[in-house]
Amino acid sequence: MIRPGITLEPADAVVYIFLVGKIFPLLQDECRGTDGKIDVAYRLATKSNSKEWTSHDFRIWRQWREKSLRELKRKVQYVVTTDITGYYDSIPIDKLASELRRIGGPDEVVSLLQRCLQRWSHPRNVGIPQGYTASDLLAKLYMTPVDKRVQRDGFSHLRYVDDIRIFCPTKLQAKYAIRQLSALMYSRGLTLQSAKTDILTKAEARAEFDGATEIINGINAKLAEELGDLIGSGYASPVELIELLGDRETPTPPVLERAFSEHFGVGSTEDFNATLFHYLLVRLGKAGSRVAVAYCTQTLSARPEETGQILNYFSQIELEPSEVRSVIEYMASEDAIYDYQLYQLLRWFYNQQIKDNQLLRLSRDWSRDRNHDHWLRSYAIAYRGQHGDETDLDELENDYNSSESELEKCDRVLALRRAEKGRRNAFYARVEKEGILVSRAVRLAKQS
C-alpha cells in the first residue's frame, strides 16, 4: 500500500524479461545449493528453457511452514524471526550488477540491464520493479551470498524472499545471529526491520508458525462431523475438505459462522490472524453467509492490505444497497489514503457493473488528477466510460491527445465504446494507427 514500486511500460517489461532470460541458466547454477533448501520461495525450474521460470503456488508456502516446524524438532530452543526493510525497493543496482558479472553474465547484457534499472529507479539508483518474475530471480540471486555466508557461519536458517528464520540452541547464539545478519545486510546496502526482529522461544515459534492450523483443523473437525452424510466419516484437512465439497451444494454454515464470531466478532480479544481470516472468508463466501459483511466493511479501513480477500468474499454474496453505500462512503473519506486500495475497490465496482453517482463523481476527480497512480486513474476512466453521461464521453475524447502514455490512450479508446456509433467510429479511424497498443485497443473496442 505504501511502497512506491516501479511499474514498467509494456515495451520496457519485454526488454527486462528478455535480458534476465539471457542470464537465467547462470542464475540456476549459482542458486542450486540454496534453492528449495534454504531459500524456499520461488522455486527455480530445473530446465533453463522452461516456460515458467519459477513456481510459487500454495504448495511452496506450505513447504515454508513444514520446513520451519521440522527445524523446531532439532536441538532448537530459540528462533530469530526478522525481515528485510523494503527489500525489492532497497536493492542497490550497482551491487546487483556486480553479482551478475561475478556469476559470468555477459557484459553487454549486464550493462544494458544495469542502465535500464538505473533509469527506472531514478533518482535513487536503488530498487527493482515489483510484480515481475524477472525481479524475483534477481532478488533470489542477490540474497544467495547471504544465505551461503549464514550457513558457513554454522547457523541453520530458512528464508522466504525477505522473511528470515534462524534456528538457535541458545539465546546467546540467537543474539549473535542477529548481529551477524545485520552486518551482512549492511554490507549489501540492506537493513533488517527492527520492529519485526524478534527472538522467540521454541513454543512461541511453533505457535506463530502453526497457530492458525490448529484453529482451522478444529473448525474442520466440527464441520466434517456435521457433514458426515456428504463426505463420509473421518477427519478432513482444510484443502481436502474444500476438494471434497467441490461443486456440490454448499453445506449449512453455522459452524463457520460460530467460528467467525468467536475469533473476529465483537468482544474478541484475539490478535488478528490473517490465515484464519482468509480461510473463513473463502468458506463463508462459498456458503453464501453474510455474517462477515459488517466486519469486512470496517476492516477496509483498519487493514487495507486485506482488501483483495474482502472483495473476493463480497463477490460471492450480494451486498445490500446500504452496504454498497458504506463502502463508497469509505472510498470518499479521508481514511482511504492508498491509491492501490482505491484502485482495487473501483475495479470491483466496475466489474460488478454497479452504478453510483457519488462513485462517478469520485472517478471524474481521480481521472483528471495526475497526482494519483496510473492504475487508479485507468479504472476511473473506465468507470466514466461505463456509467458516465455524454459530457463524460466528450471529455474523454477531448483529452485523448493529452494522455501521458500509450496505455492511457488505450483506456480512453475502450471507454468510448458507448459513444454514438458514427462519432465513435470516426474517432477510432483517426487514432488506430498511433501505435500497436492503440490499434489493438480499437480492434477490441469494435469487437465488444
Side-chain angles (χ1 to χ4, degrees):
M1 293 294 173
I2 62 176
R3 293 176 183 172
I6 303 168
T7 306
L8 303 181
E9 293 293 323
D12 290 333
V14 170
V15 171
Y16 184 36
I17 293 165
F18 172 78
L19 291 173
V20 173
K22 285 288 187 180
I23 58 174
F24 180 59
L26 299 170
L27 191 147
Q28 284 177 304
D29 291 339
E30 177 66 17
C31 299
R32 198 179 306 280
T34 58
D35 182 51
K37 302 177 182 70
I38 295 172
D39 179 8
V40 182
Y42 304 129
R43 296 289 301 276
L44 293 175
T46 56
K47 298 180 179 179
S48 59
N49 61 348
S50 296
K51 182 178 179 182
E52 298 291 339
W53 287 340
T54 65
S55 58
H56 47 85
D57 57 16
F58 173 77
R59 289 169 295 180
I60 303 299
W61 178 258
R62 186 168 58 191
Q63 288 177 21
W64 163 245
R65 170 184 160 272
E66 291 173 349
K67 284 177 177 288
S68 297
L69 292 173
R70 198 155 48 239
E71 287 291 329
L72 291 179
K73 294 180 180 179
R74 301 181 181 181
K75 294 180 179 180
V76 171
Q77 296 301 322
Y78 295 91
V79 181
V80 174
T81 60
T82 187
D83 74 9
I84 305 168
T85 302
Y87 179 37
Y88 282 43
D89 290 336
S90 303
I91 294 176
I93 293 170
D94 291 343
K95 289 180 178 291
L96 175 61
S98 177
E99 285 295 317
L100 294 172
R101 292 188 174 94
R102 179 182 65 80
I103 67 173
D107 188 65
E108 64 273 16
V109 173
V110 176
S111 295
L112 179 54
L113 179 59
Q114 183 176 5
R115 291 203 303 274
C116 288
L117 291 172
Q118 287 172 336
R119 176 169 295 183
W120 298 332
S121 64
H122 181 77
R124 297 171 63 239
N125 199 32
V126 296
I128 60 177
Q130 296 191 45
Y132 301 90
T133 301
S135 292
D136 299 333
L137 295 177
L138 295 180
K140 176 184 282 286
L141 171 69
Y142 195 69
M143 279 297 292
T144 296
V146 174
D147 290 331
K148 292 180 178 179
R149 176 62 186 273
V150 172
Q151 188 179 40
R152 193 178 70 195
D153 288 347
F155 294 103
S156 176
H157 79 293
L158 295 171
R159 182 172 61 82
Y160 196 99
V161 190
D162 56 356
D163 288 330
I164 303 170
R165 295 169 177 173
I166 306 178
F167 302 86
C168 304
T170 67
K171 194 167 188 177
L172 182 62
Q173 190 183 51
K175 291 180 179 179
Y176 180 69
I178 293 175
R179 191 181 75 176
Q180 291 293 93
L181 186 60
S182 296
L184 275 173
M185 291 298 169
Y186 183 79
S187 69
R188 301 188 71 74
L190 304 171
T191 57
L192 298 180
Q193 285 205 56
S194 57
K196 291 188 177 182
T197 300
D198 202 359
I199 298 176
L200 305 179
T201 65
K202 187 173 185 175
E204 290 171 337
R206 180 178 289 108
E208 180 170 315
F209 302 164
D210 203 33
T213 301
E214 292 186 11
I215 300 172
I216 293 174
N217 288 343
I219 294 169
N220 269 343
K222 296 177 185 177
L223 186 56
E225 182 179 348
E226 292 189 8
L227 303 176
D229 291 341
L230 175 63
I231 62 176
S233 61
Y235 170 80
S237 71
V239 174
E240 291 169 339
L241 186 57
I242 292 173
E243 290 176 349
L244 284 168
L245 291 173
D247 294 327
R248 301 178 187 179
E249 183 178 352
T250 301
T252 306
V255 172
L256 294 167
E257 291 180 341
R258 287 198 302 271
F260 190 87
S261 298
E262 177 183 346
H263 296 287
F264 300 99
V266 176
S268 174
T269 59
E270 296 184 17
D271 292 337
F272 181 83
N273 187 308
T275 302
L276 180 60
F277 180 63
H278 300 165
Y279 170 77
L280 289 175
L281 278 195
V282 169
R283 302 303 288 117
L284 290 169
K286 186 175 180 64
S289 171
R290 297 173 42 79
V291 70
V293 173
Y295 180 87
C296 285
T297 303
Q298 297 170 2
T299 303
L300 288 173
S301 175
R303 297 184 179 276
E305 69 275 10
E306 300 298 337
T307 300
Q309 295 288 340
I310 290 171
L311 292 177
N312 287 338
Y313 169 63
F314 285 170
S315 295
Q316 293 181 288
I317 61 173
E318 186 175 348
L319 291 184
E320 297 177 355
S322 61
E323 294 162 345
V324 170
R325 172 59 36 206
S326 295
V327 175
I328 294 174
E329 287 176 354
Y330 165 69
M331 295 172 70
S333 73
E334 294 181 353
D335 293 331
I337 62 174
Y338 301 114
D339 275 7
Y340 186 76
Q341 184 190 35
L342 290 172
Y343 147 76
Q344 289 177 295
L345 292 166
L346 184 57
R347 181 181 61 178
W348 185 81
F349 278 101
Y350 175 84
N351 290 334
Q352 297 292 317
Q353 298 186 16
I354 297 175
K355 181 178 181 179
D356 181 87
N357 288 333
Q358 183 179 12
L359 192 54
L360 185 57
R361 289 194 293 272
L362 290 171
S363 295
R364 288 167 182 154
D365 292 338
W366 292 334
S367 66
R368 299 181 187 117
D369 188 350
R370 298 193 180 279
N371 291 317
H372 285 296
D373 290 324
H374 77 276
W375 46 76
L376 173 59
R377 291 174 50 231
S378 178
Y379 267 90
I381 290 170
Y383 193 82
R384 291 178 67 188
Q386 186 181 59
H387 298 296
D389 55 25
E390 286 300 316
T391 302
D392 286 288
L393 299 179
D394 286 342
E395 184 175 308
L396 291 173
E397 181 179 351
N398 292 336
D399 289 346
Y400 172 85
N401 289 328
S402 62
S403 300
E404 63 179 12
S405 69
E406 191 173 359
L407 284 178
E408 187 174 327
K409 289 182 177 181
C410 293
D411 291 334
R412 295 179 185 278
V413 165
L414 291 165
L416 287 166
R417 285 174 290 187
R418 287 179 50 239
E420 187 274 324
K421 187 175 181 180
R423 171 186 146 195
R424 181 198 66 188
N425 289 343
F427 170 73
Y428 287 165
R430 190 169 70 250
V431 304
E432 63 181 344
K433 298 187 183 300
E434 292 191 4
I436 186 171
L437 294 182
V438 173
S439 175
R440 288 177 179 271
V442 169
R443 190 187 316 161
L444 177 61
K446 289 180 177 179
Q447 291 173 349
S448 57

